[in-house]
Amino acid sequence: MDVVTIGTPALWLGFIAVVVGLLTLDLGAFHRAAHVVGFREALAWSVLWIALALGFNAFLAGQYGPDRGLEFLTGYLIEKALAVDNIFVFLVVFATFRVPREYQHRILFFGILGALVMRAAFIFAGAALFGRFSWVMYIFGAFLVATGVKLFFQNEAGLHPERNPVFRLFTRLVRSVPDYHGSRFTVAKDGRRYATPMLLVLVCIEVTDVVFAVESIPAIFAVTRDPFIVFTSNIFAILGLRAMFFVLAGIMDRFHYLRTALALVLAFVGTKMLLAHVYPIPISVSLGVIGIVLASAAAASWLRARQLVGPGSRPRHA
């Protein structure tokens, strides 16, 4: 089965050039010096990345039709929702290794650079598999349903990034020092090069993204088989991840029903893949279901937070 794509060489090169330019501007001009990213700054960047994604979505819809626009928007929404779960893991990693707040943006920046390369590899491998073996869709669908069920019953308290086998192997093979040395990933001592905790944390972030990529890439292939739309929706969601991290980091504990919503979304898109040849679910229906699930989870979490706070918890004044 051939994979039909709108991605011409010029479109691919143009998109990648824009992404590289934005990343260069981000680190080279706006975040050259290490500093604590405040809420207002993070919110402004988050709005900018979302606006760019929606602008690109409008471009696709105008140039290639509303169906392509809906595919991109649905894929972007799925990735954006799963990215919120990434943020929880990032918080655990930063807390475990006591990363100073002023260095967190630098780690996330280089973590995202690695994620861009890994996601591209996953996407092209997935597109090749779908192109040659249509039955792979059923394997991915069953995997997503199983992942959704697992996530539904998963205990968040069981996360221990420092116990990851890849991370433990890295610490055994690479010489390292226990203290941070500014924002540097390595430091020279007595003529030898040592890794700082910054590099160790970056390894944890990259390994974590591989796990999330295994879950999220098949989910987007349930929406579209076009590798260009899969890639661009992924990239826009990842580009906005750092800003969203600093916006939501302080209020993540209020998203009580986030995991439940993500579990339902993964189970839904997995079921969509399994039913593709029996009852194809229209992309507009998929977008509506995913939007309703995420909006309902956000509203339920907000109501629960209000009930826990309660009117009686407000400070009393004499």
Side-chain angles (χ1 to χ4, degrees), residues 141 144-149 262-272:
L144 289 176
V145 172
T147 301
V149 173
L262 296 181
L264 293 176
V265 168
L266 289 176
F268 170 75
V269 295
T271 303
K272 174 181 169 70

Side-chain angles (χ1 to χ4, degrees), residues 227-251:
F228 182 76
I229 294 181
V230 174
F231 180 74
T232 53
S233 59
N234 246 269
I235 297 309
F236 270 115
I238 293 174
L239 288 175
L241 180 58
R242 285 166 302 133
M244 190 166 63
F245 170 84
F246 293 106
V247 170
L248 300 180
I251 57 174

Side-chain angles (χ1 to χ4, degrees), residues 221-302:
F221 274 112
V223 174
T224 177
R225 304 290 176 80
D226 188 333
F228 182 76
I229 294 181
V230 174
F231 180 74
T232 53
S233 59
N234 246 269
I235 297 309
F236 270 115
I238 293 174
L239 288 175
L241 180 58
R242 285 166 302 133
M244 190 166 63
F245 170 84
F246 293 106
V247 170
L248 300 180
I251 57 174
M252 279 300 294
D253 58 331
R254 300 184 185 181
F255 289 87
H256 182 74
Y257 297 106
L258 170 65
R259 291 267 168 130
T260 302
L262 296 181
L264 293 176
V265 168
L266 289 176
F268 170 75
V269 295
T271 303
K272 174 181 169 70
M273 295 184 92
L274 293 174
L275 297 178
H277 291 128
V278 179
Y279 180 75
I281 299 176
I283 188 65
S284 57
V285 174
S286 299
L287 179 60
V289 170
I290 294 170
I292 290 173
V293 169
L294 296 177
S296 299
S301 298
W302 179 75

